[in-house]
Amino acid sequence: MNKTRSLLSGFTVAFAILLFTILFGLGNGLLNTFDTAFVDDAANSIFINSGQTSKASNGLQAGRQIQFENKDQEWIEEEFGDKVQYITSRIYLNVTATFRNEKSSYSVRAVNPDHQYLENTKVNYGRYINESDIKNKTKVVVIGRLVEEDLFLKTTAIGKYINLNGIQYKVVGVFSDDGGDREERLIYMPVTTAQQIYGNNQHIDQINLTYNPDLNFDAAISFSNMLTRKLKDRFLVSQNDQRAIRVRNLANDSKAIGQMTLGINIMILVIGFGTLIAGVVGISNMMIFIVKERTKEIGIRKALGASPKSIVSIILLESVLITVIAGFVGLVIGMGVVELAAPSLETYFIKEAGVETSIIIGATIVLIIAGAIAGYLPAKKASRIKPIVALRDD
Amino acid sequence: MLKINKIHKSYPIGDSSLHVLKGIDLSVEAGEMVAIMGSSGSGKSTLLNIIGMLDEADEGDYILDNVPIKNLTEKKAAIYRNKFLGFIFQSFNLINYKNALDNVALPLYYQGLKRKERIEKGLYHLEKVGLKNWAHHLPNELSGGQKQRVAIARALAANPKLLLADEPTGALDTKTSHEIMDFIQSLNDEGKTILMVTHEEDIAQMCKRIVRLKDGVIIEDVFVEQVRASQYV
């Protein structure tokens, strides 16, 4: 009788913890997915793109093409030197690359050395583009891991010459990138080399920079706003023109992700706690019955000299014990479920779902507190039992 | 040893109240063995409960071993009960999921004794009631007489100044009753003060003094020639 009741009430708590564990594991997986989706670029990145003016301004008509050049990048460095961490230009090209008999099409990014840090590029061997390449406009490239695989098959690419649209470039490095296969099929070359060979001008397609990581979120946003305003002035673009100069600050994105993360975590906590409260109420209810059942025993103990405190501790201990055991059963089952389901969940944007040790420790503490709360009122009630009432023979 | 003075006690019953004890005066010396007699409703159990600190008097004084028992907090009452009193009940009131030894050792636990000491003392008292070999049996494996003897061992364990027995033989047959009374008499012979509520005349005659209650007052208080229970055993 007593055992069935303990089991049933314990089940509520076990279920609460089971639910919480599974939700938490899935939530974690979801957050892991977000994290990996954005590791490609440094979190403090700002991308600056140009386009056609959409509004007439300063006596100039709409529809004017805005073109960045090297001097614009230098101007940003001079104007905002203390706020800029890394800065690079980008020129996009599409090439057909050949090495011996292998041939394939790739995207080329012509960049500055800082690009390595902006894109979180890992150089596997060889080196990245350096300042001397920029100055001397050397014909060197750094190729992605998969480009090497495609063209050089099993051999090493370093030191060999690769043909891009008929011009020979020396491979000086091979890199990998967490951003995925697409990122590892890229070829990097010095921006100045590309400018000389493919146009003999100073044109830049895009400017990327990272702001000083010491800047907090608000300072980062105000920096990018200031940058936008000054760039628009520099190119005589209306401040209301949203198309001519576009500045994208990842701080905005990471804030959105941060809020989403917070939202998901709060939701999980609310659901978990809600169910836990239901479990606590169930256990509390059962403890009232247990106290009723043990009224006589409590009376005997009091007649023998049990203090109210010792009666409270008997009931509290029982309540905490039931809660913790039930909770652990839920935790173990929940972790098993998450562990088993994790691999098949990758398809649904849930990556490496799992529960950390800190959560297990946290859950244990929460369970002990929950058990104590569940037992408190019944225990208080038990301690107020009058031995004379309890011992009355019925 | 025990002195009560003009004790009054009423219980509310609906709108009116029932006056159960109407000014009881009683004093008991160390080493006495007193039977409190009376028909049901005479107030004998209420008197025992007040003496046992399970209930509190509305009026009057109660002094136990020179300690005035008044305005007790729950905690203090617990300490006094543990230190001064041993209870023997009609229905034994053993804790049924604890074995005989654990039941006997329980008052010692509330005295804060170490486990080893509790077991040692518990076994000593079980031996005294002749149940050492039954130490690890649960109450439901014992006969009525054995249960009451475990209960007596428990009452003795804390070495109380006063033993209070509420119809100690009420649930036992005549033969077992005499065995238990024989044992209680031997405790009294050793010097224990014993106060017992009973409605059986022959049991009362085995005490040294009989206090008769009727309608909440003492109508008779006499010393009697003790009938030894051993002659029936």
Side-chain angles (χ1 to χ4, degrees), chain A residues 22 39 59 82 146 185 197 211 248-249 287 355 383 393-394:
Chain A
I22 291 175
V39 288
D82 55 330
L146 295 176
R185 281 217 159 78
I197 292 171
Y211 55 81
R248 178 169 160 232
N249 191 340
M287 291 313 295
V355 180
S383 78
D393 291 312
D394 4 80

Side-chain angles (χ1 to χ4, degrees), chain A residues 141-171:
Chain A
V141 289
V142 180
I143 62 173
R145 187 176 61 83
L146 295 176
V147 179
E148 187 190 33
E149 260 185 49
D150 291 349
L151 297 182
F152 293 85
L153 307 175
K154 293 254 148 60
T155 65
T156 175
I158 302 280
K160 294 182 180 143
Y161 285 83
I162 185 173
N163 185 317
L164 305 181
N165 291 356
I167 295 165
Q168 298 283 342
Y169 292 86
K170 187 179 181 183
V171 178

Side-chain angles (χ1 to χ4, degrees), chain A residues 6 9 28-29 48 68 78 131 135-136 149 165 182 190 235 238 251 298-299 305 319 321 340 355-356:
Chain A
S6 308
S9 304
N28 251 356
I48 307 164
F68 293 144
E78 277 163 31
E131 282 301 336
K135 219 170 107 198
N136 302 322
E149 260 185 49
N165 291 356
R182 205 172 54 90
F235 285 94
S238 160
I298 289 163
S319 169
L321 207 69
L340 282 177
V355 180
E356 310 105 321

Side-chain angles (χ1 to χ4, degrees), chain A residues 322-394:
Chain A
I322 292 173
T323 316
V324 169
I325 290 174
F328 263 21
V329 168
L331 193 66
V332 168
I333 296 175
M335 279 168 66
V337 168
V338 170
E339 205 66 34
L340 282 177
S344 51
L345 287 172
E346 308 258 316
T347 349
Y348 305 100
F349 300 107
I350 294 169
K351 198 174 170 183
E352 287 164 29
V355 180
E356 310 105 321
T357 326
S358 61
I359 291 302
I360 298 171
I361 295 166
T364 312
I365 295 169
V366 167
L367 281 172
I368 291 173
I369 294 171
I373 291 172
Y376 182 75
L377 282 180
K380 260 283 177 251
K381 199 176 141 109
S383 78
R384 281 197 215 99
I385 288 172
K386 290 210 180 310
I388 178 177
V389 178
L391 295 174
R392 197 169 284 154
D393 291 312
D394 4 80

Side-chain angles (χ1 to χ4, degrees), chain B residues 159-176:
Chain B
N159 196 23
K161 299 201 172 349
L162 180 62
L163 269 187
L164 297 175
D166 190 358
E167 306 267 9
T169 59
L172 305 173
D173 60 33
T174 315
K175 185 174 173 293
T176 318

